[in-house]
């Protein structure tokens, strides 16, 4: 069995889960992010789910958020850390919808919205709604972002620790 780092493949899975919840009528692409993620500054009322999906939210980039997390004493790139860092950022990089900028941070927010809406972790939601119906052999985990301890998430290598924290797609 091989380990496979999925990286941004999780974005496609996150987007597919979002599409299913929109199809179910549980999520609307015009919902403001602030309706689902409380504690964010006023910009969260202007950013819509569709902006997250299309990388047009204007959110700060990964490097900016990571620097804010490190200044706050965070040593790990986690969803909670990203949301906490965003809660301290009062300005967007640009108005929502005004420009495209590939956004890891936006998909962390989208995954958190899906988790709150469904009551399931993203990996459990994806398993129940996407993968179990397709029955791919050997798939055991998918996570929306890499949660790596004591190293920079952007340069991570697979280790047993990553296997335990559920980074990306993991084989048993």
């Amino acid at each position: 069995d091989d380990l496979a780092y999925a990286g941004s493949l999780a974005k496609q899975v996150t987007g597919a889960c979002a599409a299913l919840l929109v199809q179910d009528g549980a999520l609307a692409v015009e919902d403001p992010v602030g309706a689902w993620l409380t504690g964010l500054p006023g910009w969260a009322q202007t950013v819509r789910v569709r902006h997250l999906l299309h990388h047009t939210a204007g959110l700060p980039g990964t490097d900016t958020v990571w620097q804010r997390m490190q200044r706050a004493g965070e040593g790990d790139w986690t969803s909670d850390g990203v949301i906490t860092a965003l809660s301290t950022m009062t300005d967007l990089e640009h108005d929502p919808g005004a420009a495209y900028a590939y956004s890891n941070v936006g998909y962390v927010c989208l995954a958190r919205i899906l988790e709150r809406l469904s009551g399931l972790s993203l990996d459990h939601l994806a398993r129940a709604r996407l993968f179990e119906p397709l029955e791919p052999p050997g798939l055991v985990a998918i996570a929306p972002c890499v949660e790596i301890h004591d190293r920079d998430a952007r340069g991570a290598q697979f280790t047993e620790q990553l296997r335990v924290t559920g980074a990306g797609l993991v084989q048993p």
Side-chain angles (χ1 to χ4, degrees), residues 31-122:
D31 283 350
V33 170
W36 295 103
L37 301 179
T38 59
L40 294 177
W43 54 257
Q45 296 305 320
T46 65
V47 174
R48 305 288 184 231
V49 169
R50 69 179 162 85
H51 296 127
L52 300 177
L53 284 162
H54 297 292
H55 301 277
T56 59
L59 295 173
T62 301
D63 289 341
T64 302
V65 172
W66 178 238
Q67 289 169 5
R68 182 71 57 105
M69 290 169 64
Q70 287 179 314
R71 282 197 301 271
E74 290 281 340
D76 305 331
W77 177 265
T78 64
S79 297
D80 286 341
V82 169
I83 301 298
T84 299
L86 286 175
S87 73
T88 68
M89 298 178 168
T90 58
D91 296 316
L92 295 173
E93 298 287 321
H94 57 77
D95 290 338
Y100 171 88
Y102 187 84
S103 181
N104 293 315
V105 173
Y107 267 73
V108 169
C109 292
L110 182 59
R112 181 55 55 90
I113 289 169
L114 300 180
E115 290 173 340
R116 292 214 172 136
L117 174 63
S118 70
L120 300 170
S121 64
L122 182 62

